[in-house]
Every structure is written in C-alpha cells, then in structure tokens.
Amino acid sequence: MGRGGAGDFPERVVADLAGADPVAEPRAVASGAGIAVAELLGRAWKVGWTPADVWEFIRRDESAPVVALLVDCIAVDLAKYAPSTVDDRWAGQVHDLGGEIWWERDRPHLLHWADRHGADLAEALWATVKVLASLLKLPELPQILPPPGSASARVSASANGVDHKVLAKVRGLLAKAESTEYPEEAEAFSAKAQELMNRYAFERALLDADANRKQTAASVRVWLDTPYVEAKSHLVAAIARANRSKSVFYSKLGFVALVGEAMDLEITELLTTSLLVQATRAMVAEGSQITRSGTSRTRSFRQSFLVSYAVRIGERLEEASSRAHDPVEDKRLLPVLAARSLVVEETFQKMFSHTVQRSATVSNGAGWEAGRAAADRADIDIERQAVDA
C-alpha cells in the first residue's frame, strides 16, 4: 500500500500512533485506532450522514483496502446497538455494503485487517489515518434516517414502498433494457417498467384513501459518478419531478437529495439507475466530436447531450404519468395526491430552506439534438392496462 499526501502530516500521525518501530504495544495501538474511527463515525451519524453516504464519499478517493477498512468499522459500529433501536433502512445499508463481523474477537480488528490485506501495522495505521482524514471532511447534512440507537421501533423500508414481487419484475425489465443493444427492445422494456410502477403507485394511493392513512415524506440521496455529474443531476431531477418528488443537487459532494413519498422515491431511484445507463451508452455511441480544425468538442457535446436527454425524458415521463391514471375518474385519488404534495413540500422546505435554483448551460447544438433524439428512442409510454402484481 503506497503512502502519499501533502507534507509529512500523515507520516507523523502514523509514527505517533505506532510509538516505535517495531511497535511495542500493537494490540493497544490497534485498539486505539479503532476507537478513533468509531468516534468520528458517531459524529458522522449525528451530522446527517448514513453508512451508504460515507461509503460513497470515501470510495471516490481511496483504494479498495481502505474502503474495506471503513466497511468493517461501520459493521463494528452497528454491532454496538440492539436491533430494536436500529432502523431497518440503516441496517439494510450496512448489509448492502457487505458489513459483517468476519474476524475473531481474540484481538483487535485492525490486526486481522492487516493480515487479510498483507499489510504490517504501520500500513494498517496509514489506512486508518486515511479513513479518519476523510471522516473529518464530512459537512453537516439534513438528517434522513435516525442514527443507530435512536430508533424507537424498527421501520421497514418496504412498509410504504413497492411490493417485493412488483419490484423484482421492474428490476428485471430494467436490466433487460440496459443489456439489449436494440433501442426498440430497450423502449419496450422501459415502457413496461414505467407502466408497472406508475399503475402500482396509483393503486397504492387508492388503498391509502380507503384506509384514511396519513401521508408522509422521506428523503434519499442518489450519488453520481464522474464525469458530467452536473448534467446527470438534471436527469435525476427530471425523473423526480415526473414522480411527484423534489430534488436538490449537492455539486461539491456529487449527489442529488430527493424528497418524496417512499414509493415515489423507489420509482425515481430505479428509473434513474436504468436511464443513466441508457443515456451513457447512447452518448458514447455518438463517438468523439472533432471540429474541421481538429479541435475536440467532445466534452461540450456530451454535456449538452445529457442535459437535452434529461429535458426530453422529463417531458416523456410527465406525459406518461398523466396517462397512468386520470384523477377525475376516481374522486378518492385527488385528496391523497394533494395531501402527498403538501407533505412533500413541507418536508422539503424544512430540510432545504436555502436552496438556489440553477439552470444548465448548453453550448453544443449538435449534442442537444443528439441527446433529444436518444431520449425519444428511450421513449417510456404507459398503456392503460391493469397491473398484475
């Protein structure tokens, strides 16, 4: 594992932690390193970060062994709390990251981690310092999940969300849309997925109306990979709007925060994942863009392509959503949708009271036209069919 960084600060920190070379008290030093990480993870939870957020933030700059160390430390943190005091969504994130106690408790975790990764204690401490340095950079965020130890009851992530059978069908359809090389097939699979999700969303809204269920709003974060993060954020925002949700882009961190009803957020996340894959594939297929003088215009082309793609997809999804169910047909639906819209707006304003609206810059007309054409090929239409869940 290589070492680097500004100045000799990390080197001095490792030397101070080790105390001597060879380390006189490796168990004590390894235990102390674990305590330091645990302390900063606790701080991260208090300022609004979740396990998935911390993982996304650190994996962008650090090596796989360092990220693995972080995941282990998150697993250690979760094990401190009684399951009844941990929200299921929190536990689900840790599980999805692969967080588990895989080592014996006979000695400190860091020593086991060093053995697994072929590192000595100094290298293990170096990795620890990298994790600590990243955790110290985390700014305060709005709280979207109760930190472990503070949940009064276990809340199922699917309690108000999508039925697992429907979710499995939708994921299967989107996976087929992403894997096929034929635009017509991708359109058909995406169309069926959108049809299924929207029909199911309105059916669930009618159940809420019959049960007089109080409407609630939740928040999730969608992290975006480079390049063209800002352009991609417009696609997320367009999908969110079409699914009755609101969004805020954190440009410095690289994610979009969404606020909406739980199931609407699931729809948004699923469609975002699939349409980003489809948009990227269509964008790359356009190839490099070179002017007659030999100057590359690829970046401006792709930036414009993605923004245009987002605008057109938003238009298509809005049209599809409006045809999914006519609220006038069932008088029970209007009050539920109005109540949802109100609680989403109130939650959004409470969480993000100082947002600034920004517009996208488009400097490449060819990219704009190509992006719009690609969005048309990814047309998502909804036919008036009952959902067979």
Side-chain angles (χ1 to χ4, degrees):
M1 297 174 60
R3 302 182 184 181
D8 63 350
F9 175 72
E11 296 278 6
R12 288 187 286 107
V13 171
V14 171
D16 289 343
L17 286 171
D21 189 14
V23 179
E25 297 290 343
R27 295 177 68 96
V29 170
S31 296
I35 292 171
V37 175
E39 185 71 21
L40 288 188
L41 280 178
R43 173 192 172 275
W45 309 152
K46 289 178 181 178
V47 297
W49 289 72
T50 71
D53 295 327
V54 172
W55 179 83
E56 288 280 6
F57 180 80
I58 291 182
R59 79 175 179 88
R60 283 159 164 71
D61 297 319
E62 298 300 343
S63 64
V66 173
V67 175
L69 176 61
L70 169 72
V71 172
D72 287 351
C73 292
I74 290 174
V76 171
D77 179 81
L78 182 63
K80 297 186 301 186
Y81 303 98
S84 60
T85 67
V86 179
D87 189 286
D88 269 2
R89 292 164 294 179
W90 191 282
Q93 286 191 12
V94 178
H95 177 269
D96 291 344
L97 294 177
E100 60 179 355
I101 307 297
W102 52 266
W103 58 94
E104 297 294 332
R105 300 298 186 98
D106 58 334
R107 58 183 182 146
H109 156 257
L110 191 61
L111 300 181
H112 286 285
W113 179 91
D115 291 343
R116 170 175 276 200
H117 293 279
D120 58 27
L121 183 53
E123 290 173 318
L125 291 172
W126 178 264
T128 302
V129 169
K130 283 183 167 290
V131 172
L132 292 171
S134 295
L135 293 174
L136 284 170
K137 297 176 184 176
L138 302 182
E140 186 171 356
L141 297 175
Q143 198 79 250
I144 63 173
L145 288 179
S150 65
S152 58
R154 303 196 80 186
V155 180
S156 172
S158 60
N160 297 312
V162 183
D163 179 89
H164 290 300
K165 293 181 179 179
V166 176
L167 200 58
K169 287 185 178 182
V170 170
R171 284 175 172 159
L173 289 166
L174 293 177
K176 291 177 180 178
E178 294 161 21
S179 62
T180 181
E181 296 180 2
Y182 302 100
E184 293 80 9
E185 286 188 0
E187 292 169 18
F189 289 134
S190 296
K192 187 61 180 176
Q194 176 70 4
E195 171 193 334
L196 198 62
M197 294 295 281
N198 272 277
R199 179 65 55 191
Y200 187 74
F202 285 119
E203 288 175 357
R204 287 294 300 270
L206 290 175
L207 293 177
D208 283 0
D210 291 339
N212 293 316
R213 187 175 291 114
K214 182 180 178 181
Q215 298 303 305
T216 59
S219 182
V220 297
R221 295 173 185 137
V222 177
W223 288 78
L224 301 171
D225 289 326
T226 56
Y228 314 114
V229 172
E230 184 171 354
K232 291 174 182 177
S233 74
H234 289 281
L235 179 59
V236 182
I239 297 170
R241 280 194 301 273
N243 287 286
R244 302 160 292 280
S245 302
K246 296 179 72 70
S247 63
V248 173
F249 176 46
Y250 282 72
S251 58
K252 293 183 179 179
L253 294 174
F255 70 79
V256 179
L258 304 174
V259 177
E261 193 270 338
M263 187 167 58
D264 289 338
L265 293 179
E266 288 191 67
I267 296 174
T268 300
E269 288 186 281
L270 283 169
L271 286 174
T272 293
T273 300
S274 180
L275 288 171
L276 277 173
V277 170
Q278 295 185 54
T280 301
R281 184 172 59 209
M283 177 186 71
V284 172
E286 294 289 338
S288 300
Q289 303 296 313
I290 308 296
T291 65
R292 292 180 179 179
S293 63
T295 303
S296 174
R297 294 276 288 165
T298 300
R299 183 169 184 81
S300 65
F301 177 91
R302 291 182 172 180
Q303 178 86 10
S304 299
F305 179 103
L306 290 171
V307 172
S308 175
Y309 186 95
V311 171
R312 187 54 180 157
I313 284 294
E315 293 170 356
R316 294 289 185 173
L317 290 177
E318 292 285 358
E319 294 166 5
S321 294
S322 67
R323 294 196 301 272
H325 197 293
D326 183 357
V328 177
E329 294 182 1
D330 198 318
K331 294 181 179 179
R332 295 173 298 167
L333 194 56
L334 281 172
V336 174
L337 295 180
R340 284 187 180 178
S341 179
L342 179 61
V343 74
V344 168
E345 182 63 34
E346 290 176 343
T347 303
F348 183 84
Q349 292 300 329
K350 187 182 298 183
M351 295 177 66
F352 309 105
S353 58
H354 301 293
T355 58
V356 176
Q357 196 162 15
R358 297 174 61 184
S359 58
T361 300
V362 175
S363 60
N364 191 302
W368 176 271
E369 293 300 328
R372 193 169 182 85
D376 280 332
R377 291 196 299 272
D379 183 20
I380 298 175
D381 194 13
I382 298 177
E383 300 176 5
R384 297 303 303 273
Q385 300 176 7
V387 172
D388 178 13

